[in-house]
Amino acid sequence: QMALAVSLNLRTYLRIQPGSEGRVSVNMPNIDTFLSWDVSSLHTQLPASRAGLQSAVEPDPAVVQKLREYAGLVDGLADTRSLAVLTFLYIYLSVFAESRELPSLTMVVWSELPTGAGLGSSAAFSVCLSAALLACRGAITCPAVEAGQTARWSDDELELINKWAFQGEKIIHGNPSGVDNAVGTWGGALRYHSGKTKPLSSTPVLRILLTNTRVPRSTKVLVAGVRDKMTKFPAIMNPVLESIDAISCECERTLMEMASRPEIQHYRVLEELIDINQHHLNVMGVGHPSLDRLCQVSLAHGLHSKLTGAGGGGCGITLLTPDTDSLEVERSIQELKDCGYDCWETSIGAPGVLHHSSSSLKEDVLKVLNCN
């Protein structure tokens, strides 16, 4: 099956500064986490083997367990806070393992992405963390940024950032596909097929509404349900999967055409593909009444929506076209909020990981990042 993954323009910001002598501090206000360790005690946690920065070695369960104990994280606890701390410690120690010289630093993270909503917030964190620590270590450059501008790393450097971010995702998710960290690294749109990701050469930036139904869901349970349906009704389910594959191919073709010159006809095609895709996902059993409600509300205003992420609740996206009436958008947002959902207007097809100049950041983000 071929799938398309597209970046979301809700960004995660991470800043690393030299810390007070002999301390490593982590400030993550989104998840109410403020921790500090002594560099000398971190030295005792350095992995014995030094595999080199280019290889970004698979996390060793024994090393991860040792770090859990060191950080005082309850065994088996998989909450956002514990996993973020574990990922930081693992990547920090692994990146600096070769130099045997652990720097004192303060890391501050601020994200516009809601956590646990299936929008790849953990991958965004892993990508930012890898880029910042690799730059700190001198393994990648620190691209020069003009005032008010952003800069991108070279493809080889992005490849290395992605490799390390994937290791972070393994600590958080166990067995991730690697799609989320790849999207966070390269941005735009990616084609995912047979375990391999390939960035699309160019993609349009599309305006969307992003809605979080705030209905919690379990990816594991949903995946098991789909597998069960496949086993029970192969003659029914296989054509559905083939059809979803064809939708992805048609969508890819449309996006490639739109990149050079978007026309209203392209948006009409995308709207139809969104509707068909959403119906297929319901057939597969990953829909939810909260998502049906989202589709009904937006359709009443002439807008088309589908679920995104694992389904079973979680989030949905609504396409906004150049001829969408702004009044209808406002009414849709209000109605969705009245349903108890969170709703933002944002865009997809945004750039991946970037080095920001401080003057390119919004005031509220700067305020958080400047707090030590």
Side-chain angles (χ1 to χ4, degrees):
Q1 296 299 308
M2 195 271 269
L4 285 179
V6 189
S7 64
L8 189 57
N9 200 19
L10 290 175
R11 304 197 75 83
T12 296
Y13 300 93
L14 185 147
R15 183 181 192 185
I16 284 181
Q17 291 173 282
S20 50
E21 213 41 58
R23 304 293 296 170
V24 170
S25 304
V26 165
N27 300 334
M28 298 186 270
N30 290 96
I31 52 172
D32 207 19
T33 302
F34 305 91
L35 295 168
S36 188
W37 301 274
D38 201 67
V39 170
S40 55
S41 77
L42 279 165
H43 264 284
T44 62
Q45 300 300 310
L46 277 168
S49 60
R50 292 182 260 170
L53 283 168
Q54 299 305 315
S55 46
V57 180
E58 199 86 5
D60 176 347
V63 172
V64 175
Q65 182 53 33
K66 199 176 153 205
L67 283 179
R68 261 189 183 281
E69 288 161 13
Y70 168 80
L73 304 172
V74 180
D75 200 14
L77 206 59
D79 63 296
T80 306
R81 193 174 179 271
S82 303
L83 294 172
V85 170
L86 210 50
T87 304
F88 168 77
L89 288 172
Y90 180 82
I91 295 181
Y92 168 77
L93 289 165
S94 304
V95 164
F96 290 100
E98 255 196 7
S99 67
R100 304 313 259 182
E101 197 50 61
L102 295 177
S104 303
L105 55 84
T106 295
M107 177 188 83
V108 188
V109 185
W110 177 251
S111 185
E112 297 172 341
L113 279 164
T115 54
L119 295 175
S121 58
S122 68
F125 170 63
S126 292
V127 169
C128 290
L129 182 60
S130 302
L133 290 173
L134 288 167
C136 229
R137 170 73 175 82
I140 59 174
T141 58
C142 216
V145 274
E146 303 282 318
Q149 301 291 308
T150 56
R152 196 170 180 263
W153 280 273
S154 71
D155 282 351
D156 285 348
E157 291 174 322
L158 288 173
E159 194 68 62
L160 187 62
I161 291 169
N162 188 47
K163 261 191 207 171
W164 278 97
F166 191 32
Q167 303 318 317
E169 278 284 86
K170 283 178 184 170
I171 287 177
I172 295 167
H173 294 297
N175 186 24
S177 66
V179 171
D180 286 1
N181 48 277
V183 171
T185 303
W186 276 282
L190 292 181
R191 177 185 224 275
Y192 178 73
H193 189 254
S194 309
K196 290 192 169 60
T197 53
K198 182 175 176 272
L200 266 60
S201 53
S202 54
T203 40
V205 172
L206 300 174
R207 282 172 64 221
I208 61 156
L209 291 184
L210 175 69
T211 302
N212 185 359
T213 65
R214 296 165 73 173
V215 172
R217 75 282 170 279
S218 161
T219 306
K220 256 192 200 122
V221 172
L222 288 160
V223 169
V226 172
R227 201 170 284 132
D228 188 43
K229 267 201 172 68
M230 294 291 302
T231 313
K232 235 163 145 184
F233 310 114
I236 297 170
M237 298 309 291
N238 285 327
V240 175
L241 287 177
E242 274 171 38
S243 181
I244 287 176
D245 185 65
I247 291 169
S248 297
C249 294
E250 187 62 39
C251 186
E252 181 183 21
R253 255 198 309 276
T254 308
L255 290 175
M256 297 288 271
E257 279 178 24
M258 288 176 86
S260 52
R261 213 181 66 192
E263 289 173 15
I264 209 66
Q265 201 41 48
H266 291 130
Y267 285 96
R268 297 290 94 90
V269 170
L270 289 180
E271 286 177 336
E272 280 195 76
L273 295 177
I274 283 170
D275 291 346
I276 301 167
N277 190 230
Q278 177 60 20
H279 289 304
H280 282 357
L281 292 166
N282 271 334
V283 168
M284 288 173 68
V286 294
H288 189 270
S290 63
L291 292 160
D292 294 339
R293 185 92 190 91
L294 158 64
C295 294
Q296 287 158 3
V297 168
S298 58
L299 201 55
H301 296 280
L303 304 172
H304 301 255
S305 305
K306 70 176 283 293
L307 69 84
T308 185
C315 293
I317 58 167
T318 305
L319 181 66
L320 301 179
T321 68
D323 60 350
T324 301
D325 183 343
S326 58
L327 212 59
E328 293 296 350
V329 175
E330 277 169 44
R331 284 182 187 136
S332 298
I333 293 173
Q334 193 47 58
E335 233 177 287
L336 291 166
K337 285 183 174 171
D338 292 344
C339 292
Y341 303 162
D342 290 331
C343 191
W344 307 261
E345 183 180 332
T346 180
S347 59
I348 50 177
V353 66
L354 295 168
H355 185 209
H356 291 259
S357 65
S358 53
S359 52
S360 72
L361 299 174
K362 287 176 276 196
E363 200 58 50
D364 55 340
V365 175
L366 257 182
K367 210 171 273 177
V368 177
L369 297 183
N370 281 330
C371 289
N372 283 337

